[in-house]
Amino acid sequence: MSGKDYEIRDDRFAGLIHKNAGQETLWTGGRWTEGPAYLAAGRYLVWSDIPNDRLMRWDEMNGAVATFEQPCRNHNGHCVDGLGRLIACEHRGRCVSRYEVDGSKTILADSFNGKRFNSPNDVVVKSDGSIWFTDPSYGIDSDYEGDAAPMEQDGRHVYRIDPGGNITRVIEDMKQPNGLAFTPDEAFLYVSDTGRSHFPDHTPRIRRYPVEAGGTALGAGEDFVFCEQGVFDGFRVDTNGNIWSSAGDGIHCFAPDGTLLGKILIDEVVANLCFGGPKRNRLFICATTSIRSIYVKARGATP
């Protein structure tokens, strides 16, 4: 990969990238790719092609790509829990679901206070087994990524499902909560806000919330970093606490202190990304119509 594919803002970024590691295109043909998740036991990647209502699968051993499920209720974000099960955010299903080891599906959450969710968007699992997810309105805004429908909740919020199945609302101060990730020590939860899609004067940002109450609740949040190109959609954190986020011009990498270290420049808008591979040092990238990958000198954090 040549220097033109990177923008180095801080010398620390040079220690996180391989300048000779080429960016690979693994697949093309999507409309809006989202929600990558790497399943280590099978060494394969899954992702959503939301408008085409399909879940795709790439095999790391032979590079084969196949449809994993279609229709799939317009899945968006995914993650993998501590038992290797796939957790899914369903736009059209308006729920968070889980694929069990026998292939069956369990609905984990589809309503709060007797009202349906908007359209769960992205999800993470904490080390205690709790599941945290965002609920913006994108899947009910039109028929393109779900089913157009009126909002039943009083806004767009973030929720927690405890290991026993109880659901609590943990964030209420965001315009359109989107991607989310914990710091490696789980002391903070980062959440991106893509509210500019509905509120033109709202600057795209990632907010940071301290984890309190024995890990079950959040304190007051604060703006952490702002996006200078496009919006921050999905993102992940490495073992040293650096944030690798999607953006309009590729991937932006931030240090734990909020410094923009640099960018991996990509010629499509990036929606989301995840770490994968046997060493968790390979970034898998959902770039609008395609799936890209690149090796980095960082490893993805795990709960």
Side-chain angles (χ1 to χ4, degrees):
M1 182 177 254
S2 63
K4 68 180 179 62
D5 295 303
Y6 292 109
E7 184 177 314
I8 296 177
R9 299 281 187 93
D10 187 290
D11 289 342
R12 286 174 286 179
F13 190 55
L16 293 171
I17 58 175
H18 298 281
K19 287 189 176 180
N20 61 344
Q23 186 184 133
E24 301 172 76
T25 298
L26 305 180
W27 177 81
T28 61
R31 290 186 183 274
W32 179 247
T33 62
E34 254 284 9
Y38 180 81
L39 287 91
R43 294 190 64 174
Y44 62 88
L45 180 80
V46 298
W47 69 91
S48 307
D49 182 8
I50 305 177
N52 284 321
D53 195 16
R54 59 182 176 175
L55 188 60
M56 306 297 292
R57 177 185 184 275
W58 172 80
D59 191 319
E60 188 174 29
M61 303 309 296
N62 58 21
V65 175
T67 301
F68 187 82
E69 183 177 4
Q70 188 178 30
C72 68
R73 302 162 302 282
N74 299 107
H75 281 201
N76 192 327
H78 300 94
C79 71
V80 181
D81 72 7
L83 298 178
R85 298 172 296 187
L86 184 68
I87 309 293
C89 289
E90 302 185 15
H91 272 189
R92 186 154 50 84
R94 297 175 72 168
C95 68
V96 177
S97 61
R98 182 177 64 211
Y99 287 78
E100 308 295 350
V101 294
D102 63 0
S104 62
K105 188 182 77 168
T106 300
I107 302 298
L108 301 176
D110 60 6
S111 63
F112 180 73
N113 285 344
K115 299 178 180 180
R116 298 184 71 188
F117 289 120
N118 302 318
S119 53
N121 186 284
D122 208 351
V123 58
V124 290
V125 177
K126 197 167 173 285
S127 62
D128 62 3
S130 59
I131 297 168
W132 304 60
F133 67 96
T134 58
D135 187 42
S137 62
Y138 296 117
I140 59 173
D141 286 338
S142 72
D143 292 319
Y144 189 61
E145 295 187 7
D147 290 334
M151 185 185 298
E152 296 183 22
Q153 296 296 329
D154 60 1
R156 306 159 175 94
H157 308 302
V158 181
Y159 299 85
R160 175 184 182 270
I161 310 170
D162 73 21
N166 295 317
I167 303 167
T168 55
R169 184 182 287 174
V170 292
I171 296 176
E172 297 183 316
D173 63 354
M174 305 192 81
K175 300 292 189 182
Q176 286 279 22
N178 205 309
L180 72 173
F182 285 98
T183 55
D185 61 2
E186 298 184 336
F188 293 91
L189 177 68
Y190 297 118
V191 187
S192 64
D193 192 335
T194 53
R196 176 177 284 177
S197 60
H198 289 64
F199 306 91
D201 294 333
H202 186 70
T203 302
R205 67 198 66 188
I206 292 175
R207 287 177 58 78
R208 181 174 67 176
Y209 298 82
V211 179
E212 299 179 347
T216 64
L218 302 175
E222 61 180 353
D223 292 338
F224 184 61
V225 294
F226 295 93
C227 191
E228 61 183 38
Q229 184 67 40
V231 300
F232 298 130
D233 193 329
F235 59 91
R236 288 293 180 259
V237 176
D238 68 28
T239 55
N240 291 316
N242 301 304
I243 300 171
W244 301 74
S245 179
S246 64
D249 55 353
I251 295 169
H252 295 190
C253 181
F254 293 91
D257 63 7
T259 302
L260 176 58
L261 301 179
K263 303 179 181 181
I264 300 174
L265 301 175
I266 295 174
D267 59 0
E268 289 189 299
V269 172
V270 174
N272 213 329
L273 56 95
C274 73
F275 286 92
K279 297 182 179 179
R280 295 189 61 78
N281 64 339
R282 190 176 189 179
L283 279 176
F284 292 102
I285 304 157
C286 289
T288 306
T289 65
S290 63
I291 303 299
R292 317 284 182 92
S293 77
I294 186 171
Y295 285 94
V296 295
K297 296 180 183 177
R299 293 189 178 191
T302 56

